[in-house]
Amino acid sequence: MTASGGMPCVSVQSEMTYCSRKTGMQWPSFIKLVTIAAVLWPVVTQAQTYPSRPIVMVVPFAAGGTFDVMGRLMASRMSELLGQQVIVENVTGAGGVIGTNRVVNAAPDGYTLLLGSTGTHAYNQTIYKKRRYDAVNDFTPVTLWSEQPMVLETRKDLPANTIPEFAALLKSNGAKMQFGSAGAGSTTHLACSLLNAVIGVNVTHVPYRGSAPASTDLMSGQIDYLCGNLGAAAPLIIGKQVKAIAVLSKERSPLMPELASAHEQGLKDFDITSWTAFFLPKGTPKAIVDKLNEVTHATMETPLVKTRMLEIGVTGVGPDRRSPEYLANFVASEIKRWERPIIDAGLQVD
């Protein structure tokens, strides 16, 4: 059948294949394109107008802690840059699992953002024999944005001042010594467990309910050493209430640049840092991810935020490590890096 003007057509009642004078496109193909456009249009529009309402930043740890302080510093400046309020919501429990799952199950629209960490996206994947979520596949990675170096701190009268002296002391007297932590499975516990494993010793672990009581007992000499956050430990080190042996990140920290790293002192490539990153629910549009990535790093580069972060021992990551792709690969490598120390330390639970 041919329509006037030479446009080929077929009957509606026969095969339902219509035609276009300009393109010659058959109607089913045209309908398919229209359908795809209809599906994508809300996503495109949403990304262009994002954010149009407040964003919830889920911090899966208690209010008042380091992660909470970091989250609130970030949220304040991000609110200014985004033109919408970023609200910090502490969703605690099960070592970060409850808050993290809150984001896993949220709509992928950019309005529920997770402040993830070494704990939520590395340790928890091995500590629980049956994973509560998949840190690699259940999220849309946004950006890695900060690191907090750990520090080996000891009681002030410990007869060791360097990593070689500390290692020798543990090998000769480790059976009588004790190290503390903020709790079983915490960053402070795993950092010292890995350090002990690298040195080749087995030392008694004393878990506390938080870093503060562990630090108190370290100052009084009730325990021998602790692997703590450098920001929290710095005032105690400066006040000579505890002794610093080494920063446990590979590079020195600008917070205490005179303190040599464990790597420099002979533990080659030894690197323990507590990091933070932002994650969104799986399937969040790329345009939203890109916008939050950009705003996150603009926030970290804000002089006031940068200064305040440094005061609590937090440093921003370099531009070469800020992409969503980098974070995806980084999380996978961190899970693998911590698997063996967690299993060897007997930290797994059902």
Side-chain angles (χ1 to χ4, degrees), residues 16-229:
M16 295 291 289
T17 53
Y18 297 89
C19 49
S20 167
R21 180 185 298 273
K22 292 183 178 180
T23 65
M25 180 185 295
Q26 289 190 337
W27 191 254
S29 299
F30 178 70
I31 288 291
K32 184 177 180 180
L33 288 176
V34 170
T35 302
I36 292 172
V39 171
L40 292 179
W41 181 253
V43 176
V44 173
T45 303
Q46 179 191 53
Q48 289 176 340
T49 60
Y50 175 84
S52 59
R53 56 186 169 88
I55 297 168
V56 173
M57 181 193 296
V58 174
V59 176
F61 303 104
T66 301
F67 288 116
D68 180 60
V69 172
M70 293 168 64
R72 292 179 190 279
L73 282 171
M74 296 294 288
S76 178
R77 179 58 175 149
M78 289 174 73
S79 297
E80 295 173 352
L81 295 173
L82 288 166
Q84 287 287 346
Q85 189 175 8
V86 178
I87 303 167
V88 171
E89 186 174 324
N90 299 96
V91 184
T92 62
V97 170
I98 294 176
T100 302
N101 269 320
R102 158 80 181 276
V103 178
V104 171
N105 296 315
D109 55 10
Y111 290 97
T112 307
L113 177 68
L114 176 68
L115 192 158
S117 68
T118 323
T120 64
H121 279 69
Y123 305 157
N124 279 352
Q125 297 298 280
T126 301
I127 285 176
Y128 295 101
K129 293 178 182 178
K130 182 179 179 181
R131 290 181 176 178
R132 272 45 173 184
Y133 52 84
D134 188 331
V136 173
N137 296 308
D138 286 348
F139 301 88
T140 298
V142 179
T143 184
L144 178 69
W145 52 273
S146 79
E147 293 177 322
Q148 302 172 69
M150 308 295 288
V151 61
L152 172 59
E153 47 185 314
T154 73
R155 55 184 170 85
K156 57 188 176 184
D157 59 345
L158 192 80
N161 297 300
T162 65
I163 285 291
E165 291 175 358
F166 178 77
L169 180 64
L170 260 60
K171 288 179 179 178
S172 64
N173 207 40
K176 300 177 182 179
M177 297 174 67
Q178 297 178 322
F179 75 93
S181 80
S186 66
T187 303
T188 53
H189 179 198
L190 293 171
C192 272
S193 293
L194 183 58
L195 179 64
N196 294 340
V198 170
I199 292 173
V201 295
N202 186 15
V203 181
T204 299
H205 171 227
V206 181
Y208 290 82
R209 292 186 175 183
S211 295
S215 294
T216 298
D217 272 9
L218 182 65
M219 287 186 284
S220 64
Q222 299 300 305
I223 56 176
D224 296 292
Y225 61 102
L226 176 68
C227 296
N229 175 270

